[in-house]
Amino acid sequence: MKAIDIRNKYLKFFEKNGHKIIPSAPLIPENDPSVLFTTAGMQPLVPYLLGQKHPEGKRLTDYQKCLRTNDIDEVGDNRHLTYFEMLGNWSLGDYFKQESIKMSYEFLTKELGIPSEKISVTCFKGDEDCPKDVETAEAWEKSGIPKERIYFYGKEDNWWIAGEEGPCGPDTEMFYDTGKPKCSEDCQPSCDCGKYVEIWNNVFMEYYKKDGKYTKLEQKNVDTGLGLERMAMLLQNKETPFDTEIFKPVMDKLKELAKNDDISSRRIVAEHLRASIMIVSDGGRPSNIDRGYILRRLIRRMTRHLNKLEIDLNKLPELIDLNIDTLEKLYPELQKNREVIKEVIVTEKDKFMKTLNNGEREFNKVITRLKEKNINKVDSKTIFNLYETYGFPPEVTKDLAIENGFEVNLDEVDKLFKEHQEKSRMGSEHKFKGGLAEQNEKTIAYHTATHLLNAALKEVIGKDSHQRGSNITSERMRFDFNCDHKLTDEEKKKIEDLVNKWIDEDLDVKVEKMKKEDAIKSGAECMFIEKYPDEVTVYTIGDVSKELCGGPHVKHTKELGHFKIVKEEASSQGVRRIKAILEEK
Ligand code: SER
């Protein structure tokens, strides 16, 4: 079964069971300072998991574009991916364990046709925070999974929380038995040998964890996640996701072009190229910090492995086209972004090649010096200095050093590099909190100020200036927009003055629901049209701003106080960033 068919079956099945299909949120979260990318289907739904009413109701289903970067260096083996798609269904205070398990079992066995005996499940075994999940185990038995295929594990395996704080609860995981022999007497789903592959995770969210303490959520939710690539691989009887139709055309093309074939390099190129395409399509651009840096790293690593494969780098646009053609059925939006995707990735590749050439010269000098002194280790400081001075990426120095027969202490390098990254980035992906969950008066005011700033930029910079990202905390707002020049002091002043004028006019903030088409026709501004369902919420501020937005916002602009730009800087190519604060008046 092809990935697109699995996805369609999934959405239809849950729709038939009373769920509303909602669109995937962009890969790049809006208004969420705590995460770099969307890493799970539940992430954009945090406010609703915490009790806010979802406009589409209590039963939702979607496919979500996700990116996880913790295992970037593992890509190249037979299973790790950075970008993946997660199919999910949610109950927001509606059904719970019994019905969730019944539906999962039916979907796996009837819709996908997986024989029941190939399925094993795991449940939470209980500890001092939460009792053993007997109800879940009984529900599985009732569905048709015998006791001997129901396993119980602790929090390390059967508890789900994103990060240290947030909604959480026991989960139940479904495993597919590949039919491979047991690696030992004791081989179980928790074993990594490859016999059992996790296919679906249903989280029964009934707690909120804060400062190490668990309190009961008022609303009990179900949050499930099924990895699309993995399911496609299993149903197609393939050994790796790279053998499915999602990657195969690109993998084959790389093989054809490579003068020095290497399967691991081909996987890295195919995987990183797909991830980069998805990030750029959702508005990401390479830069030296945060998510821009992740994108930069992906493109660099991909370029390096193209070099290793001895593939002519001029073939890159062709490879991007092929990759987009392969993915188009799953993500039709790629078609309209095709040219900008090519432009961004190819430009970054060119930049990297320059860096690579300069850095390689310096690297060779270092190597010669070390050889003269009979030293066979490149120390981590040198690697770091090559990065700081020549922009030479540590992961590349690391690879080159090893290729030249030198030792490197990877842990030391990682440590230095992490320290550097920590300094320059806003927060790690692991530190998941869900920005909207932290709504308070201040963040709501900043949210409204964002709309005013967006409108002011259109007046001062030009109609073509659009929002490219935003990030709000209780202390400040940050707003990215496309613009081809550094703002002058005069422009900054004009923008500030306009926003403050609108604040002083105490404009009404009006909210209304309308059809997406009508909203667009009425000229409402919107960053990611695909993100929105057919019925949308539109916020209008006086006659200065009209935007599709989930809210919330203040009711009158006077509530904002005084708007002040504290910084204006480049964010990435063609994108500027304004940091601004709201002061008491
Ligand atoms: N949030 C859970 C996961 O990421 C289920 O969707 O696995």
Side-chain angles (χ1 to χ4, degrees), residues 39-43 68 84 86-90 160 162 171 173 198 200-203 205 223-226:
T39 57
M42 56 78 78
Q43 194 173 309
R68 293 185 184 174
F84 66 101
M86 190 185 274
L87 299 172
N89 61 282
W90 291 271
W160 207 86
D171 66 14
E173 296 186 346
E198 187 203 326
W200 204 348
N201 182 13
N202 293 9
V203 184
M205 269 179 192
D223 153 43
T224 92
L226 180 155

Side-chain angles (χ1 to χ4, degrees), residues 26-32 35-38 43 291 469-470 527:
L27 203 46
I28 298 177
E30 292 173 275
N31 297 322
D32 192 336
V35 278
L36 296 180
F37 294 99
T38 304
Q43 194 173 309
R291 44 184 80 112
S470 119
M527 191 158 79

